[in-house]
Amino acid sequence: MSKKLLLKDAHVEGIRYFETYRKQGGYGAAEKAFKMTPEEILEEVKVSGLRGRGGAGFPTGMKWSFLAKPEGVPRHLVVNADESEPGTFKDRYLMEYLPHLLIEGMLISSFVLGSNVSYIYIRGEYSWIPDILEEAIEEAKAAGFLGKNILGTGFDCEIYVQRGGGAYICGEETALLESLEGKRGNPRLKPPFPAVKGLWERPTVVNNVESIAAIVPIIDITGAEYAKIGVGRSTGTKLISACGNINKPGVYEIDMTITVEEFIYSDEYCGGIPNGKKLKACIPGGSSVPIVPANLLLKTVNGEPRYMNYESLADGGFATGTMMGSGGFIVLDEDQCIVEHTMTLARFYHHESCGQCTPCREGTGWMHKILKKIEKGEGKMEDIDLLWDVQRKIEGNTICPLGDAAAWPVAAAIRHFRDEFEWHIKNPELSQTQNYGLAHY
Ligand code: NAD
Ligand code: SF4
């Protein structure tokens, strides 16, 4: 059974409220942290090996150490709670059930970074959660864990919750900062990174909800103990939101030493695929990472088992970077149609493109149109090559990663499931009434 660090008290009745959270040992890590210097806490975070849980997996301690500290300029911590990646709902769970874990993590992090005013930017669709967070902030303030002169240390910290308007692009950190400043959420060119020029051009650290919540157990058990959990550069525990064709969708805390097969089929996690259907493919880290067919998902190209961690989900020649992504684990059984699925994603990215870069604005639209045509049985064989060409022209040619995220699912679908695209084109009548999966199994 995986060790629980973040969700260990999630089942405790009333844990959402300060009194119960405190009874369970809550704010103990903050008390411990305030007896340390910011430099000592930063060292613990570095030693822990914690990697950003929003999707990119960038080392949190390193990001914090990049924060510029010009004399007299305020610095900020901004928590990215704009969780919008299709298939991802772990931060929602944390904020809804354990709001004080996030507040405590923010308090410690703000102390390290020297942020006296910190923000939570939350996606608009999570409409009921800001009230939960604001109530927790008020409770923490009443207990002396926020506000002026916290625990008599002379450190002041206020936390504000800002609701987003429901745009996927506002989860991209620089678009988020623009939105927080009251402007349209258009991504900025990087560098400069927010650590140097962020909110109102001030040095800013933007971290995901889960990354900041993980600071609490790191201080509790020490960075060295945290680093012993997991494997390689995949230290600590990771929240995975699992959905799609599985018996037990939900949010699971794993220690990154389990295999993908165990995660899908064991009763402790997804509990297998309903109706004894076969596994066709999976998107292991939210829709921004490519789809992986079952044969490559359960085993690496060398025949080794594939593990649920940053390293094991990174090789195999089907992805650049890590496939852990945002931890949104989407399972597709044999009945699913990859062309239909890819078209749905293409429609999403086209709708969510901010429109600043031509390859993304135009390319996402063209990919959606071509996929729609193929899916409806109105495509030609050369459309598959055209689709490949369009996605190639987007990748690497845009301001922000939305362009790549739109291109990769299309590239992976063609690379691994070309036969399904060809079936739709060769069987126009059938493809209007059935999908590839149902027609074949
Ligand atoms: P990134 O690799 O550009 O950056 C990662 C983080 O490291 C950023 O905070 C960045 O500012 C910082 N950083 C990198 N190099 C730095 C440097 N030299 N100096 C200072 N800071 C530096 O990736 P990203 O754009 O932040 O995230 C992309 C990922 O987001 C994708 O892989 C995808 O999985 C994920 N994503 C998640 C969601 C979600 O809902 N959780 C939605 C969409 C995408
Ligand atoms: Fe906007 Fe797309 Fe360019 Fe990102 S890649 S800045 S979403 S147009």
Side-chain angles (χ1 to χ4, degrees):
M1 182 177 276
S2 278
K3 196 172 173 62
K4 301 270 179 291
L5 294 179
L6 297 173
L7 302 186
K8 69 179 170 49
D9 293 328
H11 63 282
V12 175
E13 209 185 321
I15 194 70
R16 178 198 283 189
Y17 302 105
F18 180 85
E19 203 185 325
T20 314
Y21 182 74
R22 187 78 173 131
K23 266 193 202 134
Q24 293 298 119
Y27 289 97
E31 287 170 321
K32 186 175 171 187
F34 276 95
K35 292 186 186 120
M36 299 162 73
T37 63
E39 293 72 26
E40 284 167 345
I41 304 171
L42 174 59
E43 192 51 31
E44 289 297 321
V45 176
K46 280 186 181 165
V47 169
S48 75
L50 175 69
R51 294 172 67 173
R53 304 303 199 215
F58 194 85
T60 305
M62 191 187 293
K63 193 194 276 193
W64 287 10
S65 61
F66 286 159
L67 187 71
K69 294 183 177 154
E71 196 63 31
V73 181
R75 305 187 280 276
H76 296 288
L77 167 69
V78 175
V79 168
N80 187 344
D82 195 73
E83 182 179 55
S84 315
E85 185 80 327
T88 313
F89 44 91
K90 63 176 180 78
D91 295 339
R92 180 183 81 193
Y93 187 89
L94 270 181
M95 291 186 286
E96 192 170 354
Y97 294 99
L98 294 156
H100 280 288
L101 188 68
L102 174 62
I103 306 300
E104 187 178 2
M106 285 184 75
L107 171 60
I108 300 170
S109 309
S110 300
F111 178 59
V112 178
L113 301 168
S115 167
N116 301 116
V117 182
S118 300
Y119 297 89
I120 303 171
Y121 184 96
I122 184 162
R123 73 176 285 197
E125 291 90 338
Y126 286 175
S127 56
W128 68 102
I129 296 181
D131 288 346
I132 296 174
L133 292 171
E134 277 165 356
E135 189 180 3
I137 291 168
E138 283 312 311
E139 285 184 317
K141 215 168 166 175
F145 285 101
L146 283 178
K148 296 255 176 250
N149 190 22
I150 297 164
L151 301 180
T153 56
F155 178 67
D156 305 337
C157 185
E158 298 289 346
I159 296 178
Y160 296 102
V161 182
Q162 176 62 46
R163 295 158 171 82
Y168 174 72
I169 195 57
C170 288
E172 195 284 327
E173 59 177 2
T174 59
L176 185 158
L177 295 176
E178 288 282 301
S179 175
L180 199 49
E181 290 177 10
K183 296 181 252 169
R184 191 177 195 273
N186 280 353
R188 302 171 183 167
L189 271 172
K190 292 193 286 190
F193 289 95
V196 175
K197 226 178 193 192
L199 191 62
W200 297 299
E201 304 205 346
R202 297 168 180 173
T204 303
V205 161
V206 184
N207 271 142
N208 171 259
V209 170
E210 185 189 345
S211 312
I212 292 298
I215 300 302
V216 175
I218 288 171
I219 297 305
D220 257 338
I221 65 171
T222 76
E225 286 303 309
Y226 186 89
K228 285 183 193 159
I229 304 165
V231 63
R233 289 184 60 234
S234 300
T235 61
T237 61
K238 173 87 191 84
L239 296 185
I240 305 287
S241 52
C243 62
N245 301 122
I246 47 173
N247 283 315
K248 289 169 57 195
V251 176
Y252 297 100
E253 184 167 12
I254 62 159
D255 71 10
M256 295 195 267
T257 57
I258 61 168
T259 63
V260 173
E261 191 161 4
E262 197 183 339
F263 185 67
I264 296 176
Y265 290 102
S266 114
D267 279 341
E268 193 185 340
Y269 305 106
C270 303
I273 298 174
N275 307 316
K277 293 281 177 187
K278 279 195 268 173
L279 174 70
K280 182 187 249 187
C282 174
I283 303 168
S287 64
S288 290
V289 306
I291 191 164
V292 188
N295 62 327
L296 280 174
L297 189 67
L298 302 181
K299 296 217 179 323
T300 65
V301 280
N302 302 323
E304 297 288 315
R306 201 174 282 284
Y307 292 93
M308 295 283 292
N309 63 45
Y310 292 99
E311 288 82 16
S312 190
L313 284 173
D315 62 350
F318 53 77
T320 53
T322 174
M323 301 277 286
M324 278 298 274
S326 59
F329 195 86
I330 309 169
V331 177
L332 282 79
D333 74 12
E334 57 190 317
D335 286 351
Q336 306 312 314
C337 174
I338 299 297
V339 177
E340 188 185 357
H341 165 83
T342 313
M343 182 196 70
T344 306
L345 281 184
R347 185 177 56 208
F348 171 79
Y349 284 112
H350 176 50
H351 180 72
E352 297 296 340
S353 166
C354 83
Q356 276 191 108
C357 329
T358 308
C360 172
R361 183 187 63 239
E362 301 301 321
T364 52
W366 277 108
M367 289 196 301
H368 177 221
K369 270 185 211 154
I370 299 165
L371 279 158
K372 203 157 95 178
K373 201 169 128 190
I374 296 175
E375 202 269 334
K376 279 168 71 185
E378 294 166 3
K380 302 191 194 88
M381 277 304 168
E382 47 277 28
D383 286 335
I384 304 178
D385 295 331
L386 178 62
L387 196 54
W388 181 265
D389 198 41
V390 175
Q391 68 79 23
R392 288 281 295 160
K393 290 196 165 71
I394 301 174
E395 189 192 358
N397 293 321
T398 57
I399 293 174
C400 90
L402 188 142
D404 291 345
W408 287 340
V410 173
I414 297 176
R415 192 178 300 133
H416 297 302
F417 297 98
R418 196 179 178 104
D419 52 339
E420 297 204 17
F421 288 82
E422 291 179 356
W423 178 86
H424 275 274
I425 293 164
K426 284 181 199 157
N427 298 281
E429 292 87 21
L430 270 181
S431 68
Q432 278 169 25
T433 52
Q434 294 194 50
N435 75 33
Y436 176 90
L438 292 171
H440 281 75
Y441 295 98

